[in-house]
């Protein structure tokens, strides 16, 4: 199987026109005419991830966050990105990224978060049409049963392996309707409130955004990495379905740069 066939399968699920204007999803490094020996699936690409792909005999890396966000004026090994590009090219490793197109896709990143929480009746809460494709920046759904705010935060810590959740004061009423935007999603907080959500889950949020929402909505910020860590499972399922028999490996390298002490 050619790498370009894998790329095509991923882009059929999350077409590139769904990405935001500032993004750089799609092919990052390499030639897609090569036969694929295996795909390493991950959230971020750093040198350790490229080394892991080489060690495991995978000539394709599929990441959520793009390796290349901005143009490179030189490739001299001075930065981690430059070294990754050099190492990938030297070892014939292709790097592909599915970022905000996967965030905005039906059954994409936010749907996976909802799945991990056992939510039902999910839908986009900030829907949009792109080239006739239904898409959206966030997902709204219901917990299987209503929960006290403290119990809900405990569930988040368990399901997403979170050491701490940043939250506003706990709501005194039970929670049922939950809005989700993985990564940096505070731009959708007002829309979540307008849609009647009891809780809003995101990966990171600005300090001042927490103010003035007491008893209005339960804000739950679980970490950017933690909120999107299961995205590789989406890649795996697409490839298994569309490219049967192809070897996939879930990256073991933890690329979260934030540590908790």
């Amino acid at each position: 199987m050619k790498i370009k066939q894998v790329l095509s399968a991923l882009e059929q699920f999350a077409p590139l026109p769904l990405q935001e204007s500032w993004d750089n999803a799609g092919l990052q490094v390499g030639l897609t005419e090569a036969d694929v020996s295996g795909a390493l699936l991950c959230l971020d690409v750093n040198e350790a991830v490229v080394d892991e792909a080489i060690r495991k005999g995978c000539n394709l890396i599929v990441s959520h966050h793009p390796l290349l966000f901005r143009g490179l004026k030189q490739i001299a090994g001075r930065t981690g990105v430059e070294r990754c590009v050099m190492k990938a090219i030297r070892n014939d490793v292709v790097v592909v990224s599915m970022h905000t197109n996967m965030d905005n896709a039906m059954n994409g990143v936010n749907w996976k978060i909802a799945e991990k929480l056992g939510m039902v009746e999910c839908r986009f809460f900030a829907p949009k049409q792109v080239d006739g494709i239904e898409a959206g920046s966030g997902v709204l759904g219901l917990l299987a049963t209503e929960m006290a705010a403290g119990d809900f935060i405990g569930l988040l810590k368990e399901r997403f392996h979170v050491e701490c959740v940043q939250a506003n004061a706990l709501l005194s009423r039970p929670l049922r309707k939950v809005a989700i935007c993985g990564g940096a999603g505070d731009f959708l907080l007002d829309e979540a409130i307008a849609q009647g959500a009891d809780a809003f889950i995101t990966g990171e949020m600005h300090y001042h955004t927490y103010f003035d929402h007491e008893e209005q909505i339960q804000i739950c910020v679980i970490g950017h990495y933690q909120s999107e860590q299961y995205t590789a499972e989406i890649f795996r399922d697409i490839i298994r379905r569309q490219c049967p028999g192809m070897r996939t490996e879930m990256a073991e390298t933890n690329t979260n740069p934030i540590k908790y002490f």
Side-chain angles (χ1 to χ4, degrees), residues 71 73 94 126 153 168 183 191 227:
K73 295 190 175 182
V94 174
I153 288 176
N168 57 343
E191 184 60 31
S227 71

Side-chain angles (χ1 to χ4, degrees), residues 32-226:
T32 61
E33 289 290 341
D35 291 334
V36 62
S37 61
L40 185 72
L41 314 177
C42 59
L43 185 64
D44 309 288
V45 182
N46 61 15
E47 293 178 81
V49 168
V50 179
D51 287 336
E52 184 179 346
I54 295 166
R55 186 172 66 252
K56 292 181 174 179
C58 296
N59 65 346
L60 172 62
I61 295 172
V62 181
S63 71
H64 181 46
H65 295 139
L67 173 62
L68 302 175
F69 261 122
R70 302 169 184 85
L72 297 177
K73 295 190 175 182
Q74 60 180 238
I75 303 176
R78 296 188 306 173
T79 67
V81 171
E82 290 178 16
R83 290 190 293 273
C84 283
V85 171
M86 293 169 66
K87 185 172 289 189
I89 291 173
R90 283 173 180 159
N91 291 276
D92 295 319
V93 174
V94 174
V95 180
V96 167
S97 302
M98 298 283 113
H99 191 212
T100 53
N101 54 321
M102 190 61 71
D103 288 331
N104 292 331
M106 177 72 72
N107 297 316
V109 176
N110 296 310
W111 299 81
K112 175 60 72 171
I113 296 171
E115 175 191 312
K116 293 295 180 180
L117 293 170
M119 289 170 55
V120 297
E121 298 182 30
C122 295
R123 61 175 175 82
F124 290 121
F125 76 88
K128 54 188 172 184
Q129 289 279 329
V130 180
D131 292 348
I133 303 167
E134 185 182 2
S137 299
V139 164
L140 183 73
L142 301 176
L143 297 170
T145 58
E146 63 181 26
M147 302 181 71
D151 293 337
F152 178 66
I153 288 176
L155 179 67
L156 288 174
K157 294 176 73 172
E158 173 200 336
R159 297 291 168 85
F160 294 91
H161 312 290
V162 177
E163 296 177 61
C164 66
V165 173
Q166 290 183 298
N168 57 343
L170 296 183
L171 266 65
S172 58
R173 69 172 189 272
L175 312 180
R176 183 81 194 280
K177 185 182 287 188
V178 177
I180 299 168
C181 184
D186 59 2
F187 68 100
L188 283 177
L189 178 61
D190 288 342
E191 184 60 31
I193 293 168
Q195 296 272 344
D198 299 311
F200 178 65
I201 303 169
T202 190
E204 59 180 277
M205 203 165 78
H206 290 89
Y207 171 79
H208 292 284
T209 313
Y210 288 86
F211 283 95
D212 298 326
H213 298 300
E214 293 78 8
E215 290 301 328
Q216 185 179 46
I217 192 168
Q218 187 66 62
I219 296 170
C220 301
V221 179
I222 63 175
H224 197 124
Y225 176 92
Q226 290 88 342

